[in-house]
Amino acid sequence: MPKSKRDRPVTLSKTRKKGRGHKEAIVNAIRDAAETYSWAYVFSFENMRNLKFKEFRERLKSSSRFFLGSNKVMQVALGRSAADEIRPNIYKVSKLLHGNTGLCFTNMPKEDVERLFNEYEEYDFARTGSTATEKVELKEGPLEQFTHEMEPFLRKQGMPVRLNKGVVELLSDFVRLLGTQMATFRLHLICRWSPEEFELYIERPEDSDVESA
C-alpha cells in the first residue's frame, strides 16, 4: 500500500525563535486539517487586530480551523508543487499563500463562508504612524471622555486644557485626530479548495499559473 504524502518526513531549518519542533507541529496540524475538513480557503487580511480575529475564530471553532503565521511553513505543509502536494490540487492553495494571508479549513457550506467573510468588518483606532482619514474638532468646554488623570498628558500633546472641579476642560477649540476610529479590520477570500474543486475569488496573479478548475 503506497505511503500517504502527508506522512513524509518534513525538513525544516532550525530557528532560534521557535525551533524546528514548533514548525513541525504546525505542519502536522495543517496536514491533519487538510484530511479532516471538506474545504480549505486562503484569505487575506488588512489592519489585523489579534483580539478581534480571535473572537471571529472562536465563533467558528465548532466547524473550522484557522492557521496564521509563516507562509513558508504553511506552503511546506501543503506541498509547493503537484509533485509533493498532500492532496489533489492543493498545491494551488500553497501558491497563493504570500503576504498577509492565512488558511481556513472548514466544513461550513460555501455560501455561509462567503457571507461571513464578505460581511466581516471591525473598526478600531489606527496605530501610530497610520495615515489619518478624518479630523475631529473638539469644542471649547468640558471633555468628559477623559479622566482627570489624563490632563497632564493632554497638555503635553499641545491641548489647551485645565482641571475644573475634577473635570478636564478645553479652554479653546482644538482640531485633532482624537477618539476617532480610523482603521477597519477586514478579511478577504482569495480561493476555495476541495479535492474535487478549486475556485479563485480574485483575478489570477500575474506571477502565478493558478486558475479555477
Side-chain angles (χ1 to χ4, degrees), residues 40-45 56 66 96 101-104 106 109-119 186-192 199-203:
Y41 290 79
V42 175
F43 62 91
S44 64
F45 53 86
F56 180 76
F66 289 83
L96 294 168
T101 54
L103 277 172
C104 171
T106 185
K110 169 188 173 182
E111 294 75 15
D112 291 348
V113 175
E114 292 175 348
R115 176 179 54 81
L116 285 167
F117 275 79
N118 291 337
E119 293 178 356
R186 293 188 178 95
L187 302 171
H188 306 284
L189 291 173
I190 294 178
C191 73
R192 176 175 63 93
E199 179 181 3
L200 275 174
Y201 289 101
I202 61 172
E203 291 186 9

Side-chain angles (χ1 to χ4, degrees), residues 132-138 174-180 182:
T133 57
E134 65 177 297
K135 291 183 178 180
V136 173
E137 182 176 358
L138 300 174
F174 189 79
V175 176
R176 188 173 178 82
L177 301 170
L178 193 63
T180 301
M182 303 284 291

Side-chain angles (χ1 to χ4, degrees), residues 7-103:
D7 293 328
R8 290 177 179 175
V10 180
T11 302
L12 292 167
S13 60
K14 292 183 180 180
T15 63
R16 293 181 180 178
K17 189 173 183 181
K18 290 190 176 179
R20 188 182 349 188
H22 175 79
K23 288 185 176 183
E24 289 180 349
I26 296 297
V27 167
N28 290 332
I30 290 173
R31 290 182 171 181
D32 285 341
E35 297 283 353
T36 303
Y37 292 90
S38 302
W39 299 95
Y41 290 79
V42 175
F43 62 91
S44 64
F45 53 86
E46 55 181 302
N47 299 312
M48 169 59 78
R49 295 298 186 265
N50 291 332
L51 183 59
K52 301 288 188 183
F53 182 70
K54 182 179 179 181
E55 293 171 354
F56 180 76
R57 187 174 59 194
E58 284 294 310
R59 283 168 49 194
L60 305 180
K61 69 178 181 180
S62 63
S63 60
S64 310
R65 185 164 185 186
F66 289 83
F67 293 91
L68 282 179
S70 167
N71 290 329
K72 182 178 179 180
V73 172
M74 291 190 286
Q75 289 169 350
V76 168
L78 299 175
R80 294 176 170 176
S81 68
D84 63 2
E85 64 183 6
I86 61 168
R87 303 289 308 277
N89 286 323
I90 205 168
Y91 82 94
K92 295 182 178 181
V93 172
S94 182
K95 284 180 173 288
L96 294 168
L97 287 167
H98 53 81
N100 295 327
T101 54
L103 277 172

